[in-house]
Structures are given as C-alpha cells and as structure tokens.
Amino acid sequence: MSTTQSERLRGLLEPLVSARDLDLEEIEVSRAGRRGVLRVIVDSEDGVELDTCAELSRTISAALDETDAMGDGEYVLEVSSPGADRPLTEHRHYVRALGRLAKLTLTDGDELVARIIAVDDEGLDLEVPGVKGRKPTARRAVFADIARARVEIEFNRKDKKEEEA
C-alpha cells in the first residue's frame, strides 16, 4: 500500500473508528487475485464485540463508497479485532494486558515469561513465576530494553470477573 493511500485511508477511517470509542490499530491493503483486500484492525480497553465490528464495517463501507480511496477495482473489506497473538507494541497494548502473562524478548536476546503487574511511562513491573515450587519474583523491564512482546495464552487462568464473583 502506498503511503499516500495509507494516509488517505487512515484520515478517512480514524474518525469513524474513534466515534465508536475504538482505537484504529492497523490498516492493511493487499491483493487476493483480482480483488483488493482492506483489513481494518480495531481494539478497545474492553475488547471488541462481533456486533461492533459488523456495525463499523457497514459504516466504513458506506464511507469508502463515497470516495475513491480504494480505487476503481473490486475489494473485500474485513473489520476485526487483533488476534490473541498480536505483538504488544504500543503503551496502551501493555495497559490492556495488565494481569496477563507475557513473553518478552529483550534487546540483549534474553527471553522472559512474566505476568504484567503495572505499566508506567518508562516500562513494566513484572512478576516472574517461580520454578519448581519457588515463589514468584519481581522484575522491572523498561520499554527501551524490550525488543518484542506478546501475551501468552493461559487456558487454566480464571478471568478477573470470575475471581470477583
């Protein structure tokens, strides 16, 4: 996708997404045979429901029909939330992952799996699980030292809402 097209699409879509109290995470234009594919990834602090994606898709489709932002050819529009394996790249991603287990690759090459306990402007307070019955340990990771991070899926962890009930 050209920078000009990307900028035009972002300028068109950002207000539509923001009006629903969502964050525009990613816009991707690709080809699938003769057709173009426009993928719009949105998120919020509370996640994104399927109905919200469907409503937003209709709104975006109508707005795109009024412009030539996608050109003259046929295209498929996909509006979705990020997958569970989405990398944590923005401060808000880490905030949304509070309490979750994350796998971090540090700039020195070390890998670390730890629970995100707190997030501030400089980095993360983490709880590294204990091994073989040992107690968890606290650790600090500054954003400048994190090369990559993503949430680890936990199948046996109770949801916060379940714990409060």
Side-chain angles (χ1 to χ4, degrees):
M1 172 170 58
S2 72
T3 303
T4 306
Q5 184 183 27
S6 174
E7 291 169 357
R8 285 187 67 202
L9 285 168
R10 186 163 287 280
L12 177 68
L13 302 181
E14 191 94 50
L16 302 174
V17 172
S18 295
R20 297 198 184 297
D21 294 323
L22 299 171
D23 296 316
L24 180 58
E25 294 291 342
E26 187 178 338
I27 298 172
E28 178 186 318
V29 177
S30 60
R31 304 273 336 144
R34 297 183 297 124
R35 293 183 177 169
V37 177
L38 171 59
R39 286 184 186 87
V40 179
I41 309 297
V42 297
D43 201 3
S44 80
E45 293 205 17
D46 301 321
V48 182
E49 294 185 1
L50 186 58
D51 289 343
T52 303
C53 285
E55 292 166 11
L56 184 58
S57 179
R58 287 188 288 274
T59 302
I60 290 173
S61 181
L64 289 171
D65 288 347
E66 295 174 6
T67 71
D68 66 346
M70 286 300 294
D72 295 331
E74 294 178 16
Y75 67 91
V76 175
L77 171 63
E78 297 177 3
V79 177
S80 67
S81 61
D85 62 345
R86 176 226 8 222
L88 305 175
T89 57
E90 302 285 333
H91 185 271
R92 68 177 178 265
H93 298 164
Y94 290 98
V95 171
R96 289 178 187 155
L98 271 171
R100 306 279 309 268
L101 202 60
K103 181 177 183 180
L104 292 86
T105 303
L106 305 177
T107 54
D108 65 6
D110 285 348
E111 287 190 350
L112 173 66
V113 176
R115 191 161 313 282
I116 300 173
I117 303 301
V119 181
D120 58 35
D121 291 339
E122 287 81 39
L124 312 171
D125 290 332
L126 304 167
E127 180 182 79
V128 181
V131 179
K132 296 184 181 178
R134 292 189 176 145
K135 291 184 178 183
T137 57
R139 179 155 178 193
R140 176 84 177 155
V142 294
F143 290 123
D145 293 339
I146 301 172
R148 285 186 308 274
R150 76 178 64 240
V151 169
E152 289 284 288
I153 304 300
E154 296 178 89
F155 293 104
N156 59 351
R157 180 169 169 82
K158 289 185 180 179
D159 188 1
K160 287 181 188 177
K161 292 174 186 169
E162 290 177 29
E163 291 174 358
E164 293 170 359

